[in-house]
């Protein structure tokens, strides 16, 4: 049997040309696999047919929408995952699920090799290849754009020469990656980091400068997962989709950031993630009410580590698995309801309630009849401030006390 390779196929120019290109360079038969992650856009049956027309011996579409939402986006929500405090890991979350489907397809079709269309400059090549190595170390991995010199010019020339059914003239200036968790746009004039994004960059969000009337939403969570919106039960996928629609209409979740890639390059990216940003804001506030203080403070560090690991393509690593166990444990009481107002680019929490809340009205209130004995505070502060007091006295003794500019300290 001729050796086989499973290609992660997007339907775009590069991966369409890669089908014939790989065949010519390696002699292997190509099986094209597209994964539906709720990216919308072109009809996936059209994409499947295109792969066959480009010479794939087999082509199929894996519907991974629920799986992606439940097993990849929900853990990111539990981690309030925002790389460099802003990017909700849209592409970084999708690569491991694509990898899983690539490996499954390789097993199913007896392929020895898998292939992806990433360039040699980004994070995604790392995420694919480290993911493959982690799940199926026996599989070989090739990257036609990077390893088989499939440049854009060569791709256009090849597509025209072989009359492949793919648009080569309409040159989209941007590199776009999108799924239900969000959308990433880079290259073109955005590479000049002083250039502001133009309207055509955006597609998941409307301009927040001209919002419709405010939209109030109630989101119910059980153990960190959104289970109902405005009282209607939803799956994780439906929750993200609905919030994409409603928060997107208000222009929420537009992000413009220069980020540090794993490969050492700083790059400028525009993201749109209306649903993710609104859900993270709601989830985070529910945690503020339900997670004990020390656990919450420590969780922040774990969140950052988790997010960096996932950004760096370590989804299947042992450390990520251990951190997952910690994060999961923190969600035990993250159940309740959040009320938010979506308006003009902002998702603002205006109310929260939970049976598991640690907020105690009788302790917090400044009204009459509170149950907090303020006289306890005095002794607590005395002891809590002890080390500072001792250290300050020593500073004075050594002439290093704080100089208030009003004369001698000693
Ligand atoms: N910079 C993001 C990441 O590394 C997105 C990468 C894909 N972006 C794109 N516009 N093609 O996760």
């Amino acid at each position: 049997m001729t050796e086989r390779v499973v290609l992660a196929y997007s339907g775009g120019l590069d991966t369409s040309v890669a089908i014939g290109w790989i065949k010519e360079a390696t002699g292997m038969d190509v099986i094209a696999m597209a994964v539906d992650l709720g990216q919308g856009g072109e009809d996936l049956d059209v994409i499947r047919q295109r792969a066959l027309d480009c010479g794939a011996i087999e082509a199929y579409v894996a519907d991974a929408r629920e799986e992606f939402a439940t097993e990849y986006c929900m853990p990111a929500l539990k981690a309030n995952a925002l790389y460099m405090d802003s990017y909700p890991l849209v592409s970084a979350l999708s690569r491991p699920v694509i990898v899983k489907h690539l490996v499954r397809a390789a097993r199913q079709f007896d392929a020895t090799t898998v292939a992806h269309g990433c360039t040699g400059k980004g994070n995604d090549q790392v995420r694919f290849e480290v993911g493959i190595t982690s799940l199926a170390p026996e599989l070989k991995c090739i990257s036609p754009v990077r390893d088989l010199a499939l440049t854009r010019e060569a791709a256009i020339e090849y597509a025209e020469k072989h009359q492949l059914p793919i648009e080569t003239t309409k040159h989209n200036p941007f590199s776009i990656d999108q799924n239900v968790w969000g959308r990433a746009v880079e290259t073109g004039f955005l590479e000049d980091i002083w250039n502001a994004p133009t309207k055509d960059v955006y597609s998941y969000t409307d301009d927040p400068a001209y919002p419709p009337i405010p939209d109030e939403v109630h989101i119910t969570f059980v153990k960190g997962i959104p289970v109902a919106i405005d009282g209607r039960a939803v799956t994780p996928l439906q929750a993200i989709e609905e919030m994409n629609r409603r928060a997107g209409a208000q222009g929420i979740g537009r992000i413009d950031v220069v980020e540090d890639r794993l490969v050492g390059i700083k790059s400028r990216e525009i993201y749109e993630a209306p649903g993710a940003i609104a859900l993270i804001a709601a989830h985070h506030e529910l945690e503020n009410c339900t997670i004990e203080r020390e656990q919450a403070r420590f969780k922040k560090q774990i969140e950052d580590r988790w997010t960096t690991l996932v950004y760096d393509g370590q989804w299947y690593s042992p450390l990520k698995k251990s951190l997952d166990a910690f994060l999961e444990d923190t969600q035990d009481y993250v159940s309740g309801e959040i009320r938010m107002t979506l308006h003009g680019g902002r998702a603002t929490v205006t109310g929260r309630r939970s049976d598991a809340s640690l907020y105690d009205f009788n302790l917090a209130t400044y009204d009459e009849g509170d149950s907090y004995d303020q006289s306890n505070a005095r002794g607590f502060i005395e002891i809590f401030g002890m080390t500072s007091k001792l250290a300050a006295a020593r500073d004075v003794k050594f002439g290093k006390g704080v100089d208030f500019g009003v004369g001698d300290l000693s």
Side-chain angles (χ1 to χ4, degrees):
M1 186 179 87
T2 314
E3 219 180 316
R4 292 171 162 186
V5 51
V6 183
L7 168 70
Y9 183 66
S10 72
L13 175 68
D14 285 350
T15 50
S16 295
V17 168
I19 295 170
W21 197 266
I22 291 173
K23 176 80 192 169
E24 282 177 20
T26 67
M28 284 190 268
D29 281 341
V30 179
I31 293 151
M33 185 202 64
V35 185
D36 186 354
L37 299 171
Q39 59 268 44
E42 226 184 347
D43 188 87
L44 287 160
D45 283 333
V46 174
I47 289 181
R48 199 186 87 83
Q49 189 54 48
R50 182 176 307 138
L52 294 171
D53 293 342
C54 288
I57 60 155
E58 190 80 58
Y60 78 106
V61 177
D63 181 356
R65 287 173 302 165
E66 289 283 359
E67 175 188 5
F68 179 57
T70 305
E71 295 172 33
Y72 298 79
C73 302
M74 290 303 107
L77 180 60
K78 290 175 184 172
N80 300 312
L82 296 172
Y83 179 66
M84 293 175 78
D85 298 325
S86 55
Y87 165 45
L89 296 180
V90 173
S91 305
L93 292 172
S94 75
R95 273 35 183 187
V97 68
I98 298 173
V99 161
K100 203 162 155 195
H101 284 271
L102 272 177
V103 172
R104 182 175 299 153
R107 298 264 156 85
Q108 192 179 333
F109 293 101
D110 266 331
T112 57
T113 309
V114 292
H116 61 76
C118 306
T119 70
K121 281 190 154 186
N123 297 312
D124 288 330
Q125 52 174 341
V126 183
R127 296 170 184 150
F128 270 115
E129 291 172 37
V130 174
I132 300 285
T133 309
S134 311
L135 292 187
E138 77 285 358
L139 281 180
K140 290 177 284 187
C141 191
I142 55 175
S143 166
V145 174
R146 186 192 64 198
D147 305 335
L148 302 178
L150 179 59
T151 61
R152 195 174 170 91
E153 290 69 37
I156 291 172
E157 202 179 303
Y158 187 97
E160 280 167 358
K161 186 166 147 223
H162 294 81
Q163 296 181 333
L164 299 182
I166 170 113
E167 184 77 71
T168 55
T169 46
K170 195 178 75 209
H171 180 49
N172 188 331
F174 304 121
S175 160
I176 299 169
D177 185 44
Q178 63 188 51
N179 58 54
V180 75
W181 199 237
R183 184 165 177 270
V185 186
E186 61 180 351
T187 72
F189 74 92
L190 296 169
E191 284 175 354
D192 178 338
I193 61 178
W194 184 248
N195 283 342
T198 46
K199 287 188 192 316
D200 59 317
V201 168
Y202 298 106
S203 115
Y204 282 18
T205 53
D206 293 331
D207 191 340
Y210 308 99
I213 57 165
D215 181 7
E216 189 177 275
V217 59
H218 291 230
I219 307 174
T220 310
F221 289 87
V222 171
K223 295 193 179 210
I225 302 288
V227 296
I229 294 182
D230 293 334
R232 275 171 289 105
V234 287
T235 64
L237 177 65
Q238 290 166 338
I240 302 166
E241 286 174 339
E242 177 162 351
M243 292 310 291
N244 273 343
R245 221 167 29 244
R246 292 171 66 173
Q250 298 284 349
I252 291 162
R254 290 187 171 187
I255 300 145
D256 179 345
V257 70
V258 170
E259 82 189 23
D260 279 309
R261 285 188 191 161
L262 176 61
V263 295
I265 299 170
K266 281 193 190 286
S267 72
R268 195 271 188 98
E269 194 104 37
I270 305 293
Y271 298 107
E272 301 179 272
I277 293 298
L279 285 169
I280 289 172
H283 174 261
H284 193 208
E285 181 58 15
L286 186 59
E287 287 194 336
N288 288 344
C289 304
T290 54
I291 297 193
E292 182 269 335
R293 187 188 64 198
E294 294 312 306
Q295 196 182 22
R297 289 178 177 175
F298 193 71
K299 180 172 186 277
K300 180 82 187 110
Q301 297 173 39
I302 301 299
E303 288 174 354
D304 286 345
R305 195 71 188 86
W306 189 96
T307 301
T308 309
L309 273 178
V310 171
Y311 183 86
D312 287 348
Q314 303 283 319
W315 182 270
Y316 295 108
S317 71
L319 178 56
K320 150 78 172 44
K321 185 161 164 275
S322 303
L323 299 186
D324 276 336
F326 173 86
L327 290 171
E328 194 55 47
D329 187 64
T330 63
Q331 300 300 293
D332 255 359
Y333 291 111
V334 186
S335 303
E337 195 180 337
I338 289 289
R339 187 184 59 230
M340 280 188 161
T341 299
L342 312 173
H343 192 238
R346 302 179 73 94
T348 311
V349 175
T350 61
R352 54 295 263 165
R353 62 181 167 205
S354 164
D355 288 343
S357 173
L358 294 171
Y359 176 85
D360 183 333
F361 177 86
N362 291 320
L363 284 176
T365 184
Y366 282 96
D367 290 348
E368 291 291 299
D370 65 311
S371 61
Y372 184 85
D373 182 354
Q374 297 199 29
S375 66
N376 286 332
R378 196 181 171 88
F380 165 72
I381 296 165
E382 184 76 26
I383 292 171
F384 183 71
M386 187 77 78
T387 61
S388 302
K389 191 171 171 181
L390 290 169
R394 181 181 57 188
D395 281 345
V396 170
K397 178 172 155 190
F398 284 88
K400 290 183 180 170
V402 178
D403 183 357
F404 297 101
V406 289
D408 193 10
L409 282 171
S410 56

